[in-house]
Amino acid sequence: MTQKWDIVIVGGGLAGYVAANYLSKTNLSIILLEKGKKGGGRARTNKMKEQYLNLGPHALYKKGKAKSILEDLGIHLQGRSPKLGGKFIENNIDYAAPLSPLAFFTTSLLNGKERMEWVAVLLKVLRIDPEKLAEQSYQQWVKQAAHSKKVESLLYILGRLSTYCHAPGRVSAKVMVSTLKNALGGVLYLDGGWQTIIDQLHNKAILSGVQIQSHTLVKQIDPALQGEFKLILANGEEIHSKYVICTSGPHELNEMLAEKGTPYLKNFLAQVTAVRGATLDVALTQLPNPKRLFAMGITDPLYYSVHSTYAHLSNDPKNAVLHVFKYHHSDDTIEGTSVKNELEQFLDKLQPGWQQYVITRRFIPTITVNQRLPQIGDELKLLRSKTEIPRLYIAGDWASPDSILADGAASSGKQAAEEILLNEMSENRANYERRLPTI
Ligand SMILES: Cc1cc2nc3c(=O)[nH]c(=O)nc-3n(C[C@H](O)[C@H](O)[C@H](O)COP(=O)(O)OP(=O)(O)OC[C@H]3O[C@@H](n4cnc5c(N)ncnc54)[C@H](O)[C@@H]3O)c2cc1C
């Protein structure tokens, strides 16, 4: 029997669950279809040998949209903020990272003049209106904002750290700087990992009547036939609905639409490039060097942080859960073995002998961190979740005009829900007015 719903949400990641929770406050019938065994998408956490491993390092921005949207939905966010500090490393030499007030004045990375310049640039970032940077790449902005090469390189490090984007010449300064501003407002590492967000969203959605179906791959979205979408699943079943919110990646959406997409939409979806990286997620019985908690490469695009120092990620408080990460450039050709060696060698420098203490580890040579490298002008194409195909809406970390990562996923999920509700209201009003007697 063909199932019929008011709304089908394709994808059970952050965007899909946020949309489902906002829509569940109405009397519309909603089904969320997820191809995976469980929901969560890239926000899932795997419990491996009693250790909670996020898919790579995950930090929630305290000033970002995701946090306020999740709190608005009643999601409890428990965790702690890492202390500012750690090391920046170049050519095997490590320097105090000038991120804390003490390190501003003591780090040997900067000379006196560079210190003053760095403090002035950080104050500038805090005050700047990112809207004014809409026409510039991040690289162009950095070259204007910094005079010295050292301060330039610090802005590139902070850019990578806060956005995961490693293509300064291609990315929009507006999105980079607004995300950087959010990151400077502090982050949270979450107890139990990001799965705790997903589990709460999942339970709330179910309690409000949303139907959630995992192990369900949508193969085809056939736009409104007589006002109804036809979705074809991998097992051949069909689902019909009035609205669809698609939260898959842009290329997957293109495939699902096949020849039914409009040329403009298909073209846009095809040219979206992802932000990628490699991650080494490790749990140790102890840290060989307990003082080393955070480090970044200065020219090497590498990251290291011990998340369990601030969040409960293991049942044994002596254990350490850490992430080592490489930011891939969009033009990189990735060779798994050499990336793995690079990440392990970075960890060797920071935690010599770590291999003796391994409880569990996972290496992923290429993972999509954000489905869209935010480029100049993208925002104009993404102002609305509504697409050219009537009643097809998009959400996901690529689908927000001005945010990326979890902030982009959550805000676009909320926006798609709100646009559907507005559409319903205007259709209901039009139907009501049509039924009014005329004089
Ligand atoms: C290594 C790494 C580090 C990160 N660090 C941070 C961070 O520090 N801070 C931050 O804010 N964000 C971070 N992120 C980004 C954040 O995890 C994502 O932006 C967010 O989880 C994306 O949510 P989403 O719903 O847009 O997409 P996804 O999580 O990808 O969800 C989409 C879902 O749709 C499903 N799907 C796709 N196609 C179909 C189909 N045809 N049929 C059915 N189901 C389908 C997928 O299985 C998936 O579950 C990081 C991501 C990674 C990978």
Side-chain angles (χ1 to χ4, degrees), residues 10-16 33-35 40-43 55-59 164 194 216-218 247-248 252 256 325 367-370 396-397 405-406 409:
V10 180
L14 207 46
L33 306 174
E34 165 56 46
K35 69 177 174 185
R42 282 165 288 144
L55 269 185
H58 269 78
Y164 289 82
W194 280 36
T216 306
L217 173 75
V218 178
T247 74
S248 73
E252 288 157 303
M256 286 185 268
F325 187 84
I367 184 163
T368 294
V369 179
N370 200 76
D397 58 6
L405 303 169

Side-chain angles (χ1 to χ4, degrees), residues 354-365:
W354 62 276
Q355 311 255 17
Q356 295 169 50
Y357 302 103
V358 171
I359 302 169
T360 185
R361 58 197 279 182
R362 172 180 60 198
F363 168 66
I364 306 174

Side-chain angles (χ1 to χ4, degrees), residues 45-48 50-54 192-193 312-315 321:
T45 306
N46 298 104
K47 191 173 178 191
M48 294 165 65
E50 302 304 310
Q51 319 300 311
Y52 296 89
L53 299 189
N54 285 323
H312 294 291
L313 295 168
S314 170
N315 295 335
V321 174

Side-chain angles (χ1 to χ4, degrees), residues 285-297:
T285 49
Q286 64 174 82
L287 288 174
N289 184 345
K291 289 200 173 140
R292 282 277 164 85
L293 298 176
F294 176 80
M296 300 274 292

Side-chain angles (χ1 to χ4, degrees), residues 34 104 184 234 238 252 255 311 352 402 405 429:
E34 165 56 46
F104 282 140
L184 289 174
E238 280 184 15
E252 288 157 303
E255 277 172 29
D402 48 13
L405 303 169
R429 174 170 300 171

